[in-house]
Amino acid sequence: MYDLLKTITGPSDVKKLGMEELNTLAGEMRQALIARLTTVGGHCGPNLGFVEAAVALHYVFDSPEDKMVYDVSHQTYPHKMLTGRQQGYTDPAHYADVSGFSNPDESAHDFFTIGHTSTSIGLAAGLAKARDLKGDKENIIAVIGDGSLSGGEALEALDYAGEQTTNFIVVLNDNEMSIAEDHGGLYKNLKLLRETKGAAENNMFKAWGFDYIYVDEGNDIEKLIEGFKKAKDSDHPIVVHIHTLKGKGLPFAEKDPESYHAGGPFDEKTGEYKYKGSGESYGSLMGEYLEKKMKEDPKVIAINAATPTMFGFDKARRDRAGVQFTDPGIAEECAAALASGIAVNGGKPVWGVFSTFMQRTFDQISQDICINKSPVTILVYGATAASMNDVNHLGIYDIPMISHIPELVYLAPANAEELFAMTEWSIEQTKYPVAIRVPAGVVHTDEKVDTDYSDLNRYKVVKKGEDIAIIALGGFLSLGEAAAAEIEKRTGKAPTLINPRYITGTDDELLESLKKDHSKVVTLEDGCISGGFGQMIAGFYSRSDMKVYNFGLKKEFLDRYDVQEVYKANRLTPEFIADDVMML
């Protein structure tokens, strides 16, 4: 198995092969991809569709002297196989040796760690500028998918690169899909270019100043080599537009590319995912809630930038929602501004966004939403160490990022009942921009929850105790309960347990009252301590004798970690918390 692939130690080995061997190599690569994906999961459809293009690129160009930059890294697996890392795909014992993203620590053939979208053209343009300043002559190649073109950074970089006068090559991998379907007017032009085999006079790339080559058979190695050879060593910017099949080689992935864009391990024959999860999810629950809300009120609209299933909007629900669901493409900045405009003109926007992707749009949240006091509802998903765990998809920095923006109300529900009560209040109120930090796992409560959150920054005392007060934010309320029980077991005294609910402000009256019969305050948050919620509480007590201990995550770039080990390293267990509090 993989007889030819196992002989590939680098691109120089690819260049020695004849056409028949190149096609054999591509077949083995696809077989290895499928074997690895069915075992450990990962980005499926984009990589399966890019196998032949990766082979052709390394046959024509001279990596790493010629520099290739892969946008969002969803197409890097075949590239890694051909650049000395094939063992990470051919040998199950070495699957963990390679990350799912471009990674300079792994290979000299990778130039950036990339996991967010629409960046490759700008990064490659920087490489090209440095090359020109040094008087060097290597080819610079930016690889980008059609979905990533909708991101503003990609469009800005195309605008910049189009007026350059030296070698710069953009390989556009057009598989007619983003993560879900493509959205935006530019895709009408891509469709026209595909239909005319690149001959349409209306060509947006030429309008930007690029030369243009179209390869309709983007999974044909011979045709790809021909196209790439025409672009190699060009003395001006050029786009090579290749039309590929997302999910090629897996019939169910070809038929349903959205479901098999990425995911966990699956059965190769049936396509059934091996770990589907059990019970409820906040994504599906929110989708059901919002669909019902939309039917009751035509002004309610759900917004998401290219990851709609995150909050329950699969294809069927999107179709049922019709105009009450909108997707601006991979463009969180546009989603934020769009939400503000809808709110200002009387609509009720609910924008669902992953914490890690919200990082791309701080300015729009601050400027377009909060300065204008637009009553937008932002549902922040994956805001926990227990979410995605790649270094470029960390979701633990949302609190320091947005909680200090004036006018924003950032809420932290501890359970499902609070989440939906807060969401209902936020949609119906018209005074504040509101963000809601969706917890990591579904927890229910039988206790009555508030339905009105307009009296800002009122914390909820879950259990009145003495001496020690534990303020446990959002999904960490359960950790607070366990820590309180551990402390009571050791001391015989029950701590006070507080659910703060509000991230963006202090309950001064309650915090002041704790001074009467408490000597210690403990804060717990599933996010970065630096600039976080706990430090705001510590700041309140800074001129008093109250001892404050903040528990959370230290500021660092974590990568492919075990979440329980990370919690232990940050002393986020009931036992560690009790140990540290007893020492205060």
Side-chain angles (χ1 to χ4, degrees):
M1 185 180 291
Y2 314 130
D3 292 339
L4 186 53
L5 177 56
K6 287 182 177 180
T7 69
I8 304 299
T9 60
S12 61
D13 294 324
V14 178
K15 298 178 187 298
K16 300 173 185 176
L17 304 178
M19 189 56 60
E20 184 177 347
E21 290 174 307
L22 290 174
N23 282 296
T24 298
L25 174 63
E28 291 185 7
M29 290 169 66
R30 187 166 278 113
Q31 185 180 4
L33 275 174
I34 292 171
R36 188 179 191 271
L37 289 163
T38 58
T39 304
V40 299
H43 286 94
C44 179
N47 284 294
L48 289 174
F50 201 73
V51 169
E52 288 81 9
V55 171
L57 280 169
H58 283 293
Y59 184 86
V60 172
F61 294 98
D62 301 307
S63 178
E65 180 181 354
D66 291 333
K67 297 174 173 59
M68 302 178 193
V69 182
Y70 280 79
D71 197 86
V72 81
S73 298
H74 290 175
Q75 303 147 352
T76 56
Y77 298 5
H79 162 77
K80 290 191 177 192
M81 290 185 189
L82 302 176
T83 52
R85 290 168 279 181
Q86 53 83 6
Q87 196 173 32
Y89 298 86
T90 60
D91 185 349
H94 290 275
Y95 282 168
D97 292 355
V98 292
S99 74
F101 300 90
S102 173
N103 189 339
D105 291 335
E106 290 179 1
S107 172
H109 297 271
D110 295 359
F111 296 91
F112 302 96
T113 297
I114 299 174
H116 283 188
T117 190
S118 310
T119 64
S120 67
I121 301 175
L123 290 169
L127 293 177
K129 178 58 72 175
R131 173 203 61 197
D132 296 343
L133 292 171
K134 295 186 296 179
D136 293 340
K137 299 297 181 183
E138 75 268 19
N139 289 275
I140 304 294
I141 305 105
V143 178
I144 190 166
D146 52 311
S148 294
L149 278 184
S150 62
E153 188 175 351
L155 301 179
E156 291 172 9
L158 282 168
D159 182 54
Y160 170 82
E163 71 170 6
Q164 303 308 298
T165 58
T166 56
N167 170 276
F168 188 73
I169 301 166
V170 175
V171 174
L172 171 61
N173 177 41
D174 182 358
N175 57 32
E176 303 184 48
M177 284 288 293
S178 180
I179 298 172
E181 63 273 6
D182 284 324
H183 288 282
L186 67 87
Y187 296 103
K188 296 178 181 179
N189 191 237
L190 288 187
K191 183 174 184 288
L192 175 64
L193 291 170
R194 291 193 302 268
E195 291 173 343
T196 62
K197 302 296 188 287
E201 184 177 348
N202 182 14
N203 185 315
M204 61 182 176
F205 301 108
K206 290 184 177 180
W208 260 310
F210 286 84
D211 200 352
Y212 178 82
I213 296 170
Y214 180 72
V215 181
D216 188 56
E217 299 172 71
N219 293 105
D220 184 313
I221 294 176
E222 190 169 5
K223 298 288 178 60
L224 288 163
I225 288 174
E226 180 183 343
F228 293 150
K229 281 184 175 179
K230 290 178 182 177
K232 186 179 181 182
D233 299 325
S234 67
D235 60 0
H236 56 278
I238 185 168
V239 168
V240 183
H241 179 185
I242 65 174
H243 185 204
T244 63
L245 177 62
K246 190 169 186 176
K248 181 175 172 60
L250 276 181
F252 46 83
E254 294 178 12
K255 184 178 180 180
D256 185 8
E258 179 177 353
S259 296
Y260 295 95
H261 170 80
F266 56 86
D267 185 280
E268 182 178 347
K269 294 181 179 179
T270 66
E272 183 176 358
Y273 281 107
K274 297 177 181 178
Y275 308 114
K276 294 184 289 186
S278 59
E280 300 171 307
S281 74
Y282 281 126
S284 60
L285 290 174
M286 186 58 71
E288 293 169 5
Y289 163 80
L290 287 174
E291 185 172 8
K292 181 176 183 292
K293 188 74 174 171
M294 289 171 175
K295 291 177 180 178
E296 297 170 352
D297 187 343
K299 296 189 296 297
V300 174
I301 181 169
I303 304 170
N304 176 264
T307 56
T309 57
M310 172 197 68
F311 68 146
F313 280 83
D314 57 14
K315 184 64 166 62
R317 181 164 281 134
R318 297 196 298 269
D319 289 343
R320 292 195 298 270
V323 296
Q324 286 181 269
F325 175 84
T326 192
D327 183 340
I330 305 182
E332 284 78 10
E333 301 94 328
C334 180
L338 181 67
S340 182
I342 291 169
V344 166
N345 206 25
K348 299 178 179 180
V350 182
W351 169 32
V353 61
F354 276 116
S355 172
T356 182
F357 299 146
M358 186 174 65
Q359 293 170 185
R360 292 202 287 260
T361 185
F362 174 86
D363 195 55
Q364 284 69 36
I365 294 173
S366 177
Q367 295 286 317
D368 298 339
I369 294 176
C370 293
I371 285 180
N372 290 286
K373 301 181 183 179
S374 303
V376 170
T377 299
I378 307 172
L379 299 174
V380 184
Y381 284 80
T384 165
S387 183
M388 295 177 281
N389 70 348
D390 291 287
V391 68
N392 37 39
H393 283 73
L394 301 179
I396 59 175
Y397 292 103
D398 57 292
I399 294 176
M401 187 180 87
I402 69 169
S403 67
H404 305 292
I405 301 176
E407 303 299 336
L408 180 70
V409 176
Y410 198 7
L411 299 173
N415 50 61
E417 286 67 33
E418 279 193 338
L419 169 63
F420 289 103
M422 289 173 177
T423 303
E424 179 72 19
W425 169 77
S426 177
I427 291 172
E428 295 304 328
Q429 62 84 37
T430 58
K431 191 173 181 181
Y432 308 106
V434 177
I436 303 173
R437 199 173 200 251
V438 180
V442 177
V443 174
H444 290 283
T445 181
D446 294 329
E447 295 186 7
K448 184 179 179 180
V449 300
D450 289 339
T451 57
D452 185 355
Y453 294 86
S454 55
D455 187 10
L456 301 184
N457 305 325
R458 293 295 181 183
Y459 298 174
K460 182 178 181 179
V461 177
V462 177
K463 182 179 180 180
K464 184 70 171 72
E466 58 180 318
D467 191 38
I468 299 169
I470 299 175
I471 306 176
L473 187 69
F476 262 14
L477 183 62
S478 58
L479 176 61
E481 291 170 340
E486 181 67 22
I487 292 170
E488 184 175 6
K489 183 174 72 174
R490 296 188 190 187
T491 66
K493 296 180 180 179
T496 293
L497 180 63
I498 298 170
N499 172 9
R501 307 183 300 179
Y502 298 84
I503 303 174
T504 40
T506 54
D507 185 339
D508 293 359
E509 183 178 338
L510 174 60
L511 295 180
E512 188 66 32
S513 71
L514 294 178
K515 294 178 180 178
K516 299 175 184 177
D517 49 8
H518 293 74
S519 62
K520 304 171 183 177
V521 169
V522 177
T523 67
L524 308 178
E525 59 193 298
D526 192 2
C528 180
I529 287 180
S530 182
F533 172 78
Q535 288 192 353
M536 180 177 64
I537 302 299
F540 177 88
Y541 287 119
S542 62
R543 296 187 179 183
S544 73
D545 294 329
M546 185 72 78
K547 295 179 179 179
V548 182
Y549 201 113
N550 300 144
F551 288 87
L553 300 161
K554 66 180 179 180
K555 182 173 65 176
E556 61 179 331
F557 283 127
L558 298 161
D559 189 26
R560 293 181 287 165
Y561 55 85
D562 180 296
V563 66
Q564 296 305 323
E565 291 303 315
V566 168
Y567 284 151
K568 288 178 183 177
N570 286 276
R571 305 189 69 76
L572 286 165
T573 71
E575 295 75 19
F576 281 145
I577 292 167
D579 287 345
D580 292 349
V581 171
M582 300 289 288
M583 291 176 61
L584 275 173

